[in-house]
Amino acid sequence: MDFITVFWKNNKMKKLLILTLLLSFFSCVVNAESVAMYVYRAKDGLYYVKGSIKNIPVKFLIDTGANQSVIGSKLAKNLGINYKTNNAPTLVNTARGSAFAYRIMLKKISLGKIELTNVKTLVIEEKNVGFALLGMSALKDLELRHKGDLLQIIQQGAEKKASVGSERNSTSDLWR
């Protein structure tokens, strides 16, 4: 049997090919005012996406259960962010327990064609943080659609898009 025959007899591969072709056909554009990206669930059951901060590649974990976006202190240092200057540490509770964190504002996070601006972020002084976490401080203005093992992230066009983290509320003085 040749490769094509074996390939087409494998229904899982056929579905994957068709899905890949559909996704590439529709590219990243949902409509004229929106862009979208598609993320497959990882083997550990979580969703990771490649992006960048300050044009430096970063692996992000998408976590809709986290209030804040988080980066580790090692990544902050690699990005040239002096997070301790004029900034007192705050004790925060994480999935791994308590940790000290510093509040910062990331001017821009890129996820493919999706760009998030002015994202409230915590820098956590914790070892072994191998990725950045995108919490609701970054995700709140995006539309997330979940079906099976596929997550679609949609950002409305510039005309409709509000700057992430630009709201005015009683906690705004915490984010200098």
Side-chain angles (χ1 to χ4, degrees):
M1 264 192 247
D2 64 349
F3 173 75
I4 300 296
T5 307
V6 172
F7 180 79
W8 281 110
K9 286 187 176 185
N10 184 338
N11 283 332
K12 190 173 185 178
M13 291 297 288
K14 192 185 305 182
K15 288 177 185 177
L16 180 61
L17 175 66
I18 292 168
L19 181 60
T20 303
L21 289 172
L22 284 172
L23 291 177
S24 62
F25 176 74
F26 290 109
S27 183
C28 286
V29 178
V30 176
N31 63 44
E33 289 104 24
S34 301
V35 292
M37 69 182 311
Y38 301 87
V39 183
Y40 289 98
R41 185 189 315 259
K43 289 181 181 180
D44 63 4
L46 302 174
Y47 291 95
Y48 299 93
V49 62
K50 293 178 183 176
S52 66
I53 301 171
K54 293 186 166 188
N55 294 319
I56 296 174
V58 175
K59 179 180 178 181
F60 293 97
L61 166 66
I62 297 172
D63 187 352
T64 58
N67 292 329
Q68 298 298 322
S69 297
V70 177
I71 62 173
S73 55
K74 182 178 178 182
L75 176 58
K77 290 173 187 171
N78 290 342
L79 293 168
I81 298 171
N82 191 356
Y83 58 91
K84 290 185 178 181
T85 303
N86 300 324
N87 200 355
T90 302
L91 189 61
V92 295
N93 293 317
T94 72
R96 295 181 181 181
S98 298
F100 283 106
Y102 295 84
R103 289 177 167 88
I104 63 167
M105 184 76 73
L106 290 175
K107 291 182 182 179
K108 182 173 130 182
I109 294 176
S110 297
L111 307 172
K113 294 185 179 195
I114 294 175
E115 290 190 358
L116 308 172
T117 57
N118 300 321
V119 179
K120 295 175 182 178
T121 304
L122 296 173
V123 176
I124 291 190
E125 291 199 331
E126 187 176 344
K127 295 178 182 175
N128 302 324
V129 179
F131 50 83
L133 186 141
L134 283 179
M136 291 309 294
S137 65
L139 300 171
K140 65 183 180 62
D141 290 330
L142 301 174
E143 182 180 345
L144 303 175
R145 295 179 186 169
H146 180 258
K147 184 157 177 110
D149 288 339
L150 186 65
L151 178 67
Q152 181 184 34
I153 305 170
I154 303 167
Q155 181 180 44
Q156 296 302 318
E159 302 83 36
K160 297 180 183 179
K161 179 179 74 172
S163 181
V164 175
S166 64
E167 75 279 0
R168 303 256 186 243
N169 60 36
S170 60
T171 60
S172 62
D173 60 324
L174 296 174
W175 300 95
R176 294 179 217 142

